[in-house]
Amino acid sequence: MPFLAQRTVPISTQDLLSWTFDNPPYDLDKPIYLDCHDPSISFSSRQSKTAIRKIAAGLQNEGLQRGETVCIHSFNDVHYPLLVLGIIAAGGVFTGTNPGYTTYELAHHLKASDTKIIIAEPEILGAIEKAAKAIGVQDPRIFVFDNAHNSGKIPAGYRSWRSLLDHGETDWPRFDDLQTTQNTTAMLLFSSGTSGLPKPAIATHYNLVAQQTLVFEHPPVPYERRRIMSLPVFHAASAPNCHISPLRGGYPTYIMRRFEVEKFLRSIEEFSITEWIMVPPQVVAIINSPLGNRYSWDSVEQIQIGAAPLDKKPQARFKALVSKDIPVTQGWGMSETCCIGVRFPYPEKDETGSIGRWIDNIDVKIIDEDGNDITGYDVLGEVCVRGPTVSPGYFGEQEATKNSWKADGWFHTGDIMYCDSKTRLWYIVDRRKELIKVRAFQVAPPEIEGVLLTHPAITDAAVIGVYGPDNTELPRAYVVRAPSSEGQALTEDAVKKLVEESLAKYKWLAGGVVFTDSIPKTASGKILKRLLREQASRELKGKL
């Protein structure tokens, strides 16, 4: 019998932008988005609304139709959220790419999302330009994102995104009914799978409204939310928190271009930051830095850690660094749950390594390997969820959607968890899916394996995750050489170079390459990665 939601909170059926701007509970001229590096560059609600309406008019002038996708290829920037909301206001769909992606990865992302228009920073224009041409997106549909950090750098033959602001203003499509809000896509947040390349998870207007309502508005907190945004804002772990939450709630949000320990810590003190979400590698970087005690933590009210598991020992070390007795807790979420699904509501604290409690309105059940409902306390199994924050499926991926979303409405997460009978706290134990989490980014082994098998000297390959000295998961490849002179001459460096030329840095084989005579498999051909993990554990004792 499933664990049904203990409390149900009403969710608005308005479109995302009307819900955000119609009745703001704060001063419309208060700065909301601020550049962390130069706070004089800022946008209030009033300024943001005008910019969003102008961007929408410009995109429509470019011929963007309802439901079509616009991709932003950029590092973090104070203008980024305005572009996202301008895309949605035009009736379009936002998707964002990792600025470290290669042409190969970008081509897949653009094709899978059916991108029609691209907005890219000039410094990283080359790879996405090549990827766009490969799938038929022509140059006039690529705008240069000359922002606060690269103003004026417009390559010859391209237009600035600012030219979108020259076509007046337009209102966004307004609606206020459940069917429309549940079926109107606002974002495509890519999530890695185990059967191929990353897949675009649909985030509807309803999903995003529910995420903000259930995570940040119920229950309310007794302090002013003042945030710093250091995580990549294309990522599902930060996209709703950055692009939706600030203008809805009136939360001043300082946007960092990328995470840097000293700038991050100094900004907390300088801007009186009260809360933020971070990932385990950031925690490790701070506790290993001599700068941790140099700046004040006095303004901080709570810190949430997510996107990848963090052992309770570094969590405790980080908590000790924060002088105030505040919640420093972990949470859980996925692209398919529109970010946060489990967390500790303020002011609850934890030192056990738990991920917390499910947010309101979410039903949960635990199943065994055969799909049977085995829900109960202290029972280990795969978690399935349903509720208003759960994506309706993958865009353009009917088979993948069918595999993960069942007819009864349950999304199968692939994560193995249990709920403690005494505390009712949830703990994540393992991932049924074979994803590798590298610095909070999801890596699908089949993607790396696919690249390896393009080499003529490789006849078989398997990729697993191993843990480095800082408890970061790293991809490790097991490779079978071809029975030829070319195969026998194949080196570890050559295998690594192959991957490095095709994939983003966090997908590189930092966990090593091992040559083997065969890959262990079942009779049906499924790789026995459990055996490879056991082998890796023996091999790496005392080395990593």
Side-chain angles (χ1 to χ4, degrees):
M1 185 75 175
F3 292 131
L4 301 180
Q6 296 298 298
R7 185 171 67 170
T8 301
V9 175
I11 306 298
S12 172
T13 58
Q14 274 189 296
D15 65 272
L16 188 59
L17 289 154
S18 298
W19 173 77
T20 298
F21 286 112
D22 279 1
N23 297 292
Y26 58 90
D27 180 0
L28 297 182
D29 295 311
K30 179 177 74 170
I32 299 299
Y33 287 117
L34 304 98
D35 189 315
C36 190
H37 307 275
D38 182 2
S40 68
I41 304 174
S42 67
F43 290 89
S44 65
S45 175
R46 195 185 308 277
Q47 292 169 324
S48 297
K49 183 177 180 180
T50 298
I52 289 163
R53 288 166 55 90
K54 287 184 175 181
I55 293 167
L59 289 170
Q60 290 179 355
N61 183 71
E62 283 297 311
L64 185 73
Q65 302 297 307
R66 285 197 183 187
E68 290 185 336
T69 304
V70 180
C71 176
I72 302 177
H73 184 50
S74 171
F75 294 97
N76 291 1
D77 185 81
V78 71
H79 299 95
Y80 199 123
L82 307 183
L83 278 173
V84 171
L85 293 174
I87 292 165
I88 297 170
V93 177
F94 156 73
T95 191
T97 50
N98 188 327
Y101 269 179
T102 65
T103 299
Y104 173 84
E105 294 162 309
L106 290 169
H108 165 70
H109 191 111
L110 297 178
K111 186 175 181 179
S113 60
D114 195 20
T115 289
K116 302 299 183 183
I117 295 176
I118 297 167
I119 303 172
E121 284 200 27
E123 289 87 348
I124 51 177
L125 184 60
I128 202 164
E129 179 185 24
K130 292 177 183 177
K133 287 181 178 179
I135 64 168
V137 179
Q138 301 303 310
D139 290 351
R141 304 282 280 182
I142 302 178
F143 289 84
V144 175
F145 189 24
D146 53 316
N147 51 46
H149 301 280
N150 52 38
S151 182
K153 297 180 181 178
I154 309 296
Y158 286 92
R159 291 175 290 168
S160 167
W161 72 279
R162 299 176 193 276
S163 66
L164 297 171
L165 305 174
D166 298 334
H167 303 278
E169 297 182 29
T170 190
D171 200 16
W172 50 80
R174 293 177 178 265
F175 47 83
D176 190 1
D177 67 276
L178 183 61
Q179 183 175 1
T180 305
T181 191
Q182 285 183 328
N183 290 284
T184 303
T185 303
M187 298 182 182
L188 295 178
L189 302 173
F190 273 67
S191 174
S192 297
T194 59
S195 58
L197 295 167
K199 297 181 288 293
I202 295 168
T204 67
H205 285 244
Y206 192 66
N207 290 150
L208 293 165
V209 169
Q211 175 73 191
Q212 167 66 15
T213 302
L214 299 174
V215 175
F216 297 114
E217 297 183 7
H218 293 276
V221 295
Y223 61 85
E224 180 189 18
R225 296 185 187 272
R226 296 176 62 84
R227 298 172 171 167
I228 185 166
M229 188 61 57
S230 64
L231 297 176
V233 298
F234 72 84
H235 197 281
S238 52
N241 190 32
C242 179
H243 308 316
I244 308 304
S245 190
L247 286 170
R248 163 66 182 181
Y251 315 143
T253 300
Y254 292 79
I255 299 180
M256 292 187 71
R257 185 163 174 79
R258 56 171 64 89
F259 176 76
E260 300 169 7
V261 172
E262 183 163 16
K263 177 61 179 174
F264 181 80
L265 296 175
R266 185 168 67 246
S267 297
I268 293 169
E269 176 180 307
E270 181 179 356
F271 305 129
S272 300
I273 301 300
T274 59
E275 65 174 27
W276 66 87
I277 296 173
M278 63 195 310
V279 295
Q282 293 177 326
V283 173
V284 173
I286 291 173
I287 62 179
N288 289 333
S289 169
L291 302 172
N293 291 315
R294 183 175 297 180
Y295 299 96
S296 172
W297 300 79
D298 289 347
S299 64
V300 184
E301 297 292 344
Q302 73 165 322
I303 302 169
Q304 295 181 322
I305 304 164
L310 179 69
D311 186 80
K312 62 182 180 181
K313 292 180 181 178
Q315 180 180 346
R317 286 180 61 195
F318 184 63
K319 175 68 174 66
L321 193 63
V322 181
S323 54
K324 294 177 64 177
D325 185 23
I326 62 168
V328 178
T329 57
Q330 297 193 56
W332 173 94
M334 303 177 70
S335 300
E336 294 89 342
T337 61
C338 204
C339 195
I340 298 172
V342 189
R343 56 83 193 260
F344 283 90
Y346 183 88
E348 192 171 359
K349 301 169 186 174
D350 177 68
E351 297 179 352
T352 69
S354 167
I355 54 173
R357 309 177 192 281
W358 290 90
I359 59 176
D360 293 333
N361 296 44
I362 300 296
D363 298 333
V364 183
K365 71 176 179 179
I366 302 172
I367 61 172
D368 62 19
E369 292 183 356
D370 297 319
N372 300 310
D373 187 344
I374 56 171
T375 305
Y377 295 110
D378 302 320
V379 175
L380 198 64
E382 181 184 359
V383 165
C384 304
V385 297
R386 67 183 179 192
T389 60
V390 178
S391 167
Y394 298 120
F395 175 76
E397 298 271 0
Q398 292 185 354
E399 189 64 28
T401 298
K402 183 179 178 181
N403 289 338
S404 294
W405 281 264
K406 303 306 178 183
D408 55 2
W410 292 97
F411 168 63
H412 291 224
T413 68
D415 283 347
I416 306 300
M417 302 185 192
Y418 71 92
C419 183
D420 186 270
S421 59
K422 296 179 181 178
T423 63
R424 302 296 196 263
L425 294 178
W426 284 83
Y427 294 83
I428 184 167
V429 176
D430 200 354
R431 293 188 300 279
R432 183 180 177 190
K433 298 178 181 179
E434 299 291 353
L435 293 178
I436 304 168
K437 283 203 170 182
V438 182
R439 299 189 305 277
F441 290 111
Q442 293 181 330
V443 177
E447 184 179 12
I448 304 176
E449 290 161 0
V451 170
L452 293 173
L453 292 173
T454 64
H455 198 292
I458 296 176
T459 60
D460 206 355
V463 175
I464 62 169
V466 297
Y467 285 91
D470 60 352
N471 207 36
T472 297
E473 201 170 7
L474 306 170
R476 180 178 181 86
Y478 286 83
V479 173
V480 179
R481 293 186 177 106
S484 63
S485 57
E486 185 180 8
Q488 297 311 304
L490 187 66
T491 64
E492 179 177 351
D493 287 343
V495 174
K496 288 183 175 180
K497 183 178 179 181
L498 173 66
V499 173
E500 290 167 7
E501 289 175 345
S502 301
L503 301 175
K505 188 173 183 178
Y506 66 87
K507 300 177 185 177
W508 293 0
L509 298 173
V513 175
V514 177
F515 293 107
T516 183
D517 293 333
S518 63
I519 302 296
K521 297 180 180 179
T522 65
S524 62
K526 182 179 179 180
I527 298 173
L528 291 169
K529 293 194 173 180
R530 173 181 56 82
L531 298 182
L532 289 178
R533 284 192 288 269
E534 292 173 358
Q535 179 179 335
S537 178
R538 294 191 298 269
E539 294 166 345
L540 294 173
K541 279 185 177 179
K543 291 184 179 181
L544 283 180

Short mmCIF file of all heavy atoms in Angstrom, two decimals, residues 408-443:
data_model
loop_
_atom_site.label_atom_id
_atom_site.label_comp_id
_atom_site.label_asym_id
_atom_site.label_seq_id
_atom_site.Cartn_x
_atom_site.Cartn_y
_atom_site.Cartn_z
N ASP A 408 -0.49 3.55 -14.54
CA ASP A 408 -1.19 3.96 -13.32
C ASP A 408 -0.69 5.29 -12.78
O ASP A 408 -1.05 5.70 -11.68
CB ASP A 408 -1.08 2.88 -12.24
CG ASP A 408 0.37 2.50 -11.94
OD1 ASP A 408 1.28 3.09 -12.55
OD2 ASP A 408 0.58 1.62 -11.09
N GLY A 409 0.17 5.98 -13.55
CA GLY A 409 0.60 7.32 -13.16
C GLY A 409 1.87 7.39 -12.35
O GLY A 409 2.34 8.48 -12.01
N TRP A 410 2.48 6.26 -12.04
CA TRP A 410 3.69 6.26 -11.21
C TRP A 410 4.94 6.41 -12.08
O TRP A 410 5.09 5.73 -13.08
CB TRP A 410 3.80 4.95 -10.43
CG TRP A 410 2.76 4.80 -9.36
CD1 TRP A 410 1.59 4.11 -9.47
CD2 TRP A 410 2.80 5.34 -8.04
NE1 TRP A 410 0.89 4.19 -8.29
CE2 TRP A 410 1.61 4.94 -7.40
CE3 TRP A 410 3.71 6.12 -7.34
CZ2 TRP A 410 1.31 5.29 -6.09
CZ3 TRP A 410 3.41 6.47 -6.03
CH2 TRP A 410 2.24 6.06 -5.42
N PHE A 411 5.84 7.30 -11.63
CA PHE A 411 7.16 7.42 -12.26
C PHE A 411 8.15 6.57 -11.48
O PHE A 411 8.29 6.72 -10.26
CB PHE A 411 7.63 8.88 -12.28
CG PHE A 411 9.08 9.03 -12.64
CD1 PHE A 411 9.55 8.64 -13.88
CD2 PHE A 411 9.99 9.54 -11.72
CE1 PHE A 411 10.89 8.76 -14.21
CE2 PHE A 411 11.33 9.67 -12.04
CZ PHE A 411 11.79 9.28 -13.29
N HIS A 412 8.85 5.69 -12.17
CA HIS A 412 9.83 4.81 -11.55
C HIS A 412 11.19 5.51 -11.56
O HIS A 412 11.80 5.70 -12.62
CB HIS A 412 9.90 3.48 -12.29
CG HIS A 412 8.66 2.65 -12.13
ND1 HIS A 412 8.67 1.30 -11.88
CD2 HIS A 412 7.34 3.00 -12.15
CE1 HIS A 412 7.44 0.85 -11.76
NE2 HIS A 412 6.61 1.86 -11.93
N THR A 413 11.68 5.89 -10.39
CA THR A 413 12.87 6.71 -10.29
C THR A 413 14.17 5.97 -10.57
O THR A 413 15.15 6.59 -10.99
CB THR A 413 13.00 7.34 -8.88
OG1 THR A 413 13.27 6.29 -7.93
CG2 THR A 413 11.72 8.07 -8.49
N GLY A 414 14.20 4.66 -10.31
CA GLY A 414 15.44 3.91 -10.44
C GLY A 414 16.33 4.02 -9.22
O GLY A 414 17.40 3.40 -9.19
N ASP A 415 15.93 4.78 -8.21
CA ASP A 415 16.72 4.95 -7.01
C ASP A 415 16.23 4.03 -5.90
O ASP A 415 15.02 3.89 -5.68
CB ASP A 415 16.69 6.40 -6.52
CG ASP A 415 17.57 7.31 -7.35
OD1 ASP A 415 18.39 6.79 -8.12
OD2 ASP A 415 17.45 8.53 -7.23
N ILE A 416 17.17 3.42 -5.21
CA ILE A 416 16.85 2.50 -4.13
C ILE A 416 16.89 3.27 -2.80
O ILE A 416 17.90 3.86 -2.45
CB ILE A 416 17.86 1.33 -4.07
CG1 ILE A 416 17.94 0.64 -5.44
CG2 ILE A 416 17.48 0.35 -2.98
CD1 ILE A 416 16.63 0.06 -5.92
N MET A 417 15.78 3.24 -2.08
CA MET A 417 15.66 3.99 -0.82
C MET A 417 14.92 3.15 0.22
O MET A 417 14.35 2.11 -0.09
CB MET A 417 14.87 5.29 -1.03
CG MET A 417 15.41 6.26 -2.04
SD MET A 417 14.43 7.79 -2.02
CE MET A 417 14.99 8.58 -3.52
N TYR A 418 14.90 3.68 1.44
CA TYR A 418 14.03 3.14 2.48
C TYR A 418 13.64 4.27 3.42
O TYR A 418 14.30 5.31 3.49
CB TYR A 418 14.70 2.00 3.24
CG TYR A 418 15.82 2.43 4.18
CD1 TYR A 418 15.57 2.71 5.53
CD2 TYR A 418 17.13 2.53 3.72
CE1 TYR A 418 16.59 3.10 6.39
CE2 TYR A 418 18.16 2.90 4.57
CZ TYR A 418 17.88 3.19 5.91
OH TYR A 418 18.89 3.57 6.76
N CYS A 419 12.55 4.05 4.16
CA CYS A 419 12.08 5.03 5.13
C CYS A 419 12.21 4.43 6.53
O CYS A 419 11.69 3.35 6.81
CB CYS A 419 10.62 5.39 4.86
SG CYS A 419 9.96 6.66 5.97
N ASP A 420 12.93 5.11 7.39
CA ASP A 420 13.17 4.63 8.75
C ASP A 420 11.87 4.64 9.56
O ASP A 420 11.16 5.64 9.60
CB ASP A 420 14.22 5.51 9.43
CG ASP A 420 14.61 4.99 10.79
OD1 ASP A 420 13.94 5.39 11.77
OD2 ASP A 420 15.57 4.20 10.88
N SER A 421 11.58 3.52 10.20
CA SER A 421 10.32 3.38 10.92
C SER A 421 10.24 4.26 12.16
O SER A 421 9.14 4.62 12.61
CB SER A 421 10.11 1.91 11.31
OG SER A 421 11.19 1.45 12.12
N LYS A 422 11.39 4.59 12.74
CA LYS A 422 11.38 5.39 13.97
C LYS A 422 11.30 6.89 13.70
O LYS A 422 10.58 7.61 14.38
CB LYS A 422 12.63 5.07 14.79
CG LYS A 422 12.69 3.62 15.28
CD LYS A 422 13.97 3.37 16.06
CE LYS A 422 14.03 1.91 16.53
NZ LYS A 422 15.30 1.60 17.25
N THR A 423 12.03 7.34 12.71
CA THR A 423 12.11 8.79 12.46
C THR A 423 11.27 9.24 11.28
O THR A 423 11.02 10.43 11.13
CB THR A 423 13.56 9.20 12.18
OG1 THR A 423 14.02 8.54 10.98
CG2 THR A 423 14.48 8.80 13.35
N ARG A 424 10.86 8.30 10.43
CA ARG A 424 10.15 8.59 9.17
C ARG A 424 11.03 9.38 8.21
O ARG A 424 10.52 10.04 7.30
CB ARG A 424 8.83 9.35 9.43
CG ARG A 424 7.85 8.63 10.35
CD ARG A 424 7.37 7.32 9.72
NE ARG A 424 6.18 6.78 10.36
CZ ARG A 424 6.17 5.85 11.31
NH1 ARG A 424 7.33 5.36 11.74
NH2 ARG A 424 5.05 5.42 11.83
N LEU A 425 12.34 9.29 8.39
CA LEU A 425 13.27 9.93 7.47
C LEU A 425 13.63 8.95 6.35
O LEU A 425 13.71 7.75 6.56
CB LEU A 425 14.55 10.36 8.20
CG LEU A 425 14.41 11.45 9.26
CD1 LEU A 425 15.76 11.73 9.91
CD2 LEU A 425 13.84 12.73 8.64
N TRP A 426 13.89 9.51 5.17
CA TRP A 426 14.24 8.70 4.01
C TRP A 426 15.74 8.69 3.79
O TRP A 426 16.42 9.69 4.01
CB TRP A 426 13.53 9.23 2.77
CG TRP A 426 12.07 8.87 2.74
CD1 TRP A 426 11.06 9.52 3.38
CD2 TRP A 426 11.47 7.77 2.07
NE1 TRP A 426 9.86 8.90 3.15
CE2 TRP A 426 10.09 7.82 2.34
CE3 TRP A 426 11.96 6.75 1.25
CZ2 TRP A 426 9.19 6.90 1.81
CZ3 TRP A 426 11.07 5.82 0.73
CH2 TRP A 426 9.70 5.89 1.01
N TYR A 427 16.24 7.56 3.32
CA TYR A 427 17.66 7.38 3.02
C TYR A 427 17.80 6.76 1.64
O TYR A 427 17.10 5.81 1.30
CB TYR A 427 18.32 6.47 4.06
CG TYR A 427 18.36 7.07 5.44
CD1 TYR A 427 17.24 6.98 6.28
CD2 TYR A 427 19.48 7.75 5.90
CE1 TYR A 427 17.26 7.54 7.55
CE2 TYR A 427 19.52 8.31 7.17
CZ TYR A 427 18.40 8.21 7.98
OH TYR A 427 18.42 8.77 9.24
N ILE A 428 18.71 7.30 0.84
CA ILE A 428 19.01 6.73 -0.47
C ILE A 428 20.20 5.80 -0.32
O ILE A 428 21.21 6.14 0.29
CB ILE A 428 19.26 7.83 -1.53
CG1 ILE A 428 19.47 7.19 -2.91
CG2 ILE A 428 20.42 8.73 -1.15
CD1 ILE A 428 19.40 8.19 -4.05
N VAL A 429 20.07 4.59 -0.85
CA VAL A 429 21.08 3.56 -0.68
C VAL A 429 21.89 3.34 -1.95
O VAL A 429 23.10 3.21 -1.92
CB VAL A 429 20.42 2.23 -0.24
CG1 VAL A 429 21.45 1.12 -0.15
CG2 VAL A 429 19.72 2.43 1.10
N ASP A 430 21.22 3.31 -3.08
CA ASP A 430 21.90 3.01 -4.34
C ASP A 430 21.01 3.48 -5.48
O ASP A 430 19.87 3.89 -5.27
CB ASP A 430 22.15 1.50 -4.45
CG ASP A 430 23.26 1.16 -5.44
OD1 ASP A 430 23.73 2.09 -6.12
OD2 ASP A 430 23.63 -0.01 -5.51
N ARG A 431 21.54 3.41 -6.70
CA ARG A 431 20.76 3.72 -7.89
C ARG A 431 20.60 2.46 -8.71
O ARG A 431 21.59 1.84 -9.10
CB ARG A 431 21.46 4.80 -8.72
CG ARG A 431 21.49 6.15 -8.02
CD ARG A 431 22.01 7.23 -8.96
NE ARG A 431 23.36 6.98 -9.45
CZ ARG A 431 24.46 7.25 -8.76
NH1 ARG A 431 24.36 7.78 -7.55
NH2 ARG A 431 25.65 7.02 -9.27
N ARG A 432 19.37 2.10 -8.94
CA ARG A 432 19.15 0.93 -9.78
C ARG A 432 19.65 1.22 -11.19
O ARG A 432 20.22 0.37 -11.85
CB ARG A 432 17.66 0.58 -9.79
CG ARG A 432 17.35 -0.67 -10.58
CD ARG A 432 15.86 -0.98 -10.55
NE ARG A 432 15.57 -2.13 -11.37
CZ ARG A 432 14.33 -2.51 -11.68
NH1 ARG A 432 13.31 -1.82 -11.25
NH2 ARG A 432 14.13 -3.57 -12.43
N LYS A 433 19.40 2.41 -11.64
CA LYS A 433 19.94 2.81 -12.94
C LYS A 433 21.45 2.94 -12.80
O LYS A 433 21.96 3.27 -11.74
CB LYS A 433 19.32 4.13 -13.39
CG LYS A 433 17.81 4.07 -13.58
CD LYS A 433 17.27 5.42 -13.98
CE LYS A 433 15.76 5.37 -14.16
NZ LYS A 433 15.19 6.68 -14.52
N GLU A 434 22.15 2.74 -13.85
CA GLU A 434 23.61 2.70 -13.80
C GLU A 434 24.26 4.06 -14.02
O GLU A 434 25.36 4.15 -14.55
CB GLU A 434 24.12 1.70 -14.84
CG GLU A 434 23.65 0.28 -14.64
CD GLU A 434 24.27 -0.38 -13.41
OE1 GLU A 434 25.17 0.23 -12.78
OE2 GLU A 434 23.85 -1.49 -13.06
N LEU A 435 23.58 5.10 -13.64
CA LEU A 435 24.15 6.44 -13.81
C LEU A 435 25.38 6.64 -12.93
O LEU A 435 25.46 6.12 -11.83
CB LEU A 435 23.12 7.51 -13.46
CG LEU A 435 21.90 7.63 -14.36
CD1 LEU A 435 20.98 8.72 -13.83
CD2 LEU A 435 22.33 7.96 -15.77
N ILE A 436 26.30 7.42 -13.45
CA ILE A 436 27.46 7.85 -12.67
C ILE A 436 27.28 9.34 -12.41
O ILE A 436 26.96 10.10 -13.33
CB ILE A 436 28.77 7.61 -13.45
CG1 ILE A 436 28.90 6.14 -13.85
CG2 ILE A 436 29.98 8.05 -12.62
CD1 ILE A 436 30.01 5.88 -14.86
N LYS A 437 27.45 9.76 -11.16
CA LYS A 437 27.30 11.19 -10.84
C LYS A 437 28.68 11.79 -10.60
O LYS A 437 29.34 11.48 -9.62
CB LYS A 437 26.39 11.39 -9.64
CG LYS A 437 24.92 11.22 -9.98
CD LYS A 437 24.03 11.94 -9.00
CE LYS A 437 22.59 11.97 -9.49
NZ LYS A 437 21.72 12.70 -8.56
N VAL A 438 29.09 12.65 -11.53
CA VAL A 438 30.39 13.30 -11.45
C VAL A 438 30.17 14.78 -11.15
O VAL A 438 29.63 15.52 -11.97
CB VAL A 438 31.16 13.14 -12.78
CG1 VAL A 438 32.54 13.79 -12.67
CG2 VAL A 438 31.29 11.68 -13.15
N ARG A 439 30.56 15.20 -9.95
CA ARG A 439 30.40 16.60 -9.54
C ARG A 439 28.98 17.08 -9.81
O ARG A 439 28.77 18.17 -10.34
CB ARG A 439 31.42 17.49 -10.25
CG ARG A 439 32.88 17.13 -9.93
CD ARG A 439 33.84 18.17 -10.48
NE ARG A 439 33.66 18.38 -11.91
CZ ARG A 439 34.20 17.60 -12.85
NH1 ARG A 439 34.96 16.58 -12.49
NH2 ARG A 439 34.00 17.85 -14.12
N ALA A 440 28.01 16.26 -9.47
CA ALA A 440 26.58 16.57 -9.57
C ALA A 440 26.02 16.44 -10.98
O ALA A 440 24.83 16.57 -11.19
CB ALA A 440 26.26 17.96 -9.02
N PHE A 441 26.88 16.18 -11.98
CA PHE A 441 26.39 15.95 -13.32
C PHE A 441 26.17 14.46 -13.53
O PHE A 441 26.97 13.62 -13.11
CB PHE A 441 27.39 16.47 -14.36
CG PHE A 441 27.50 17.96 -14.41
CD1 PHE A 441 28.66 18.59 -13.98
CD2 PHE A 441 26.46 18.74 -14.86
CE1 PHE A 441 28.78 19.96 -14.01
CE2 PHE A 441 26.56 20.11 -14.90
CZ PHE A 441 27.73 20.73 -14.48
N GLN A 442 25.09 14.12 -14.22
CA GLN A 442 24.79 12.73 -14.49
C GLN A 442 25.52 12.28 -15.75
O GLN A 442 25.48 12.95 -16.78
CB GLN A 442 23.29 12.53 -14.65
CG GLN A 442 22.51 12.75 -13.37
CD GLN A 442 21.03 12.52 -13.56
OE1 GLN A 442 20.50 12.73 -14.64
NE2 GLN A 442 20.35 12.10 -12.51
N VAL A 443 26.15 11.13 -15.66
CA VAL A 443 26.85 10.55 -16.80
C VAL A 443 26.26 9.17 -17.07
O VAL A 443 26.22 8.32 -16.18
CB VAL A 443 28.36 10.43 -16.52
CG1 VAL A 443 29.07 9.74 -17.69
CG2 VAL A 443 28.97 11.80 -16.26
#
